[in-house]
Amino acid sequence: DTAVSQTPKYLVTQMGNDKSIKCEQNLGHDTMYWYKQDSKKFLKIMFSYNNKELIINETVPNRFSPKSPDKAHLNLHINSLELGDSAVYFCASSQMGFGTEAFFGQGTRLTVV
Amino acid sequence: QQQVKQSPQSLIVQKGGIPIINCAYENTAFDYFPWYQQFPGKGPALLIAIRPDVSEKKEGRFTISFNKSAKQFSLHIMDSQPGDSATYFCAAGKGSSNTGKLIFGQGTTLQVKP
């Protein structure tokens, strides 16, 4: 029973297109995140939502818009895709509190051609 | 001030060796230091974590050493096995904050040869 699941696992699309990545967690956590992992494996936080409310937006371009319909779901919509958006995007969740573990999904490998 | 610097970038050891991965941070407000392990095609998974009020924490073959005054911490893997081959990330966060944000190091790719 997957704890944090993302779809799709792979996404290949052309420049200029709009695409979405979906994420769901069944851990009952109140906080969800999007991280970006570049080609050098560097992981950087993009967004964080706590109980459907945006609490972190790490200077991500406006083309990226997260949406949290409820605390178990956090989707990422990307407009006007660019070559530089190619990366692996990870959804994660945790329970807010001191030093709680973040659980990561399997990742979505986005390739913009 | 938000950076976490990790070294080495890659590491090759023989089975049974003790790889050591080092991390350094600048922001003294960080109070939570986890290590994550990532296998190819998978998401990172928590391996072990430490708070700055202790200097060492051991879980199985994995040990974190923490030096608060030097703002450094390291991961030691005892009796390393080929199955430990993965990418390891250190991270730092303000556990007492309400954001859960983690700053990750650059990652270390470990290969354990049989």
Side-chain angles (χ1 to χ4, degrees):
Chain A
D1 198 18
T2 306
V4 181
S5 59
Q6 298 177 227
T7 54
K9 190 170 170 65
Y10 300 98
L11 190 50
V12 181
T13 188
Q14 290 188 325
M15 278 175 55
N17 282 352
D18 302 339
K19 289 293 178 186
S20 292
I21 307 172
K22 295 186 175 182
C23 179
E24 176 182 3
Q25 55 97 0
N26 62 5
L27 297 166
H29 290 162
D30 58 7
T31 306
M32 296 185 72
Y33 314 83
W34 279 109
Y35 281 84
K36 180 180 180 180
Q37 186 170 48
D38 64 23
S39 58
K40 295 184 179 179
K41 295 189 180 177
F42 184 60
L43 266 168
K44 189 175 192 305
I45 192 167
M46 299 172 68
F47 300 104
S48 171
Y49 269 76
N50 178 256
N51 280 319
K52 303 192 298 176
E53 189 176 330
L54 180 67
I55 53 173
I56 293 177
N57 181 340
E58 286 288 309
T59 59
V60 177
N62 290 340
R63 299 181 295 104
F64 290 79
S65 53
K67 283 188 172 53
S68 182
D70 55 60
K71 73 174 192 177
H73 295 84
L74 179 62
N75 304 322
L76 184 65
H77 187 76
I78 315 169
N79 289 327
S80 304
L81 278 155
E82 301 176 357
L83 293 175
D85 297 331
S86 296
V88 181
Y89 292 86
F90 285 100
C91 176
S93 74
S94 70
Q95 187 62 26
M96 191 52 64
F98 186 86
T100 58
E101 177 179 355
F103 289 80
F104 284 77
Q106 297 263 48
T108 296
R109 182 174 291 278
L110 171 65
T111 304
V112 183
V113 297
Chain B
Q1 266 229 328
Q2 288 291 321
Q3 278 190 323
V4 176
K5 294 182 180 177
Q6 182 173 346
S7 62
Q9 188 174 352
S10 62
L11 195 50
I12 301 174
V13 300
Q14 292 294 131
K15 178 182 172 183
I18 305 176
I20 301 172
I21 304 170
N22 301 299
C23 284
Y25 64 98
E26 297 171 353
N27 190 342
T28 54
F30 288 144
D31 56 8
Y32 173 64
F33 303 91
W35 284 88
Y36 279 79
Q37 180 188 55
Q38 184 180 25
F39 292 105
K42 304 290 186 184
L46 181 67
L47 196 58
I48 184 173
I50 197 167
R51 299 178 187 183
D53 52 347
V54 296
S55 60
E56 186 175 281
K57 183 175 181 180
K58 184 181 287 189
E59 285 185 6
R61 295 183 294 107
F62 300 93
T63 299
I64 300 179
S65 298
F66 188 85
N67 185 328
K68 188 175 180 178
S69 59
K71 293 186 282 187
Q72 294 175 348
F73 58 111
S74 59
L75 176 71
H76 297 62
I77 305 175
M78 305 302 176
D79 187 27
S80 58
Q81 302 295 313
D84 295 330
S85 298
T87 300
Y88 292 81
F89 293 93
C90 62
K94 298 177 191 176
S96 50
S97 77
N98 67 344
T99 67
K101 174 180 174 180
L102 291 174
I103 306 296
F104 282 87
Q106 295 89 335
T108 297
T109 301
L110 171 66
Q111 183 184 354
V112 180
K113 291 190 169 182

